Amino acid sequence: MSLLATTDDAEQFAKAWLQKKYGKKLGKVKFVEVMSDNGVWTVKANAKLAVGVLLIKPHIIQIKIDAGTAEVLGYSEAEAMAKEG
């Protein structure tokens, strides 16, 4: 039986992990992709992160989580590029 059985479970775990990792630097989080493959959840989120005293920038954060143990296997973070139009 896996600890993270549904997309809601994976999102809740990911949000708690993000809050623990970034603390007060973490702003609004929007999950854009949540999928499971061979017992590993991949959760992708758009998040606002404080990068300075008064500067908040959008970031794309991807977390890989083991569904059976709820252990974070890895994550990546990149600043989101502004769309030009």
Side-chain angles (χ1 to χ4, degrees):
M1 171 105 188
S2 65
L3 292 173
L4 304 175
T6 67
T7 56
D8 287 339
D9 293 343
E11 284 181 6
Q12 289 175 359
F13 179 85
K15 186 156 190 170
W17 185 84
L18 288 168
Q19 289 171 338
K20 184 177 177 183
K21 176 155 182 59
Y22 294 104
K24 293 184 180 193
K25 291 183 178 184
L26 183 65
K28 184 178 175 184
V29 175
K30 180 181 177 188
F31 294 103
V32 293
E33 185 178 304
V34 181
M35 56 187 199
S36 177
D37 185 31
N38 292 328
V40 176
W41 284 99
T42 301
V43 180
K44 192 173 187 181
N46 291 336
K48 304 278 186 182
L49 293 178
V51 293
V53 177
L54 298 174
L55 189 58
I56 297 174
K57 291 190 175 183
H59 284 72
I60 298 169
I61 302 171
Q62 182 171 303
I63 308 167
K64 292 202 179 274
I65 309 163
D66 184 295
T69 63
E71 178 184 345
V72 173
L73 303 173
Y75 80 99
S76 64
E77 169 192 323
E79 189 175 317
M81 302 308 257
K83 293 180 184 177
E84 293 186 28

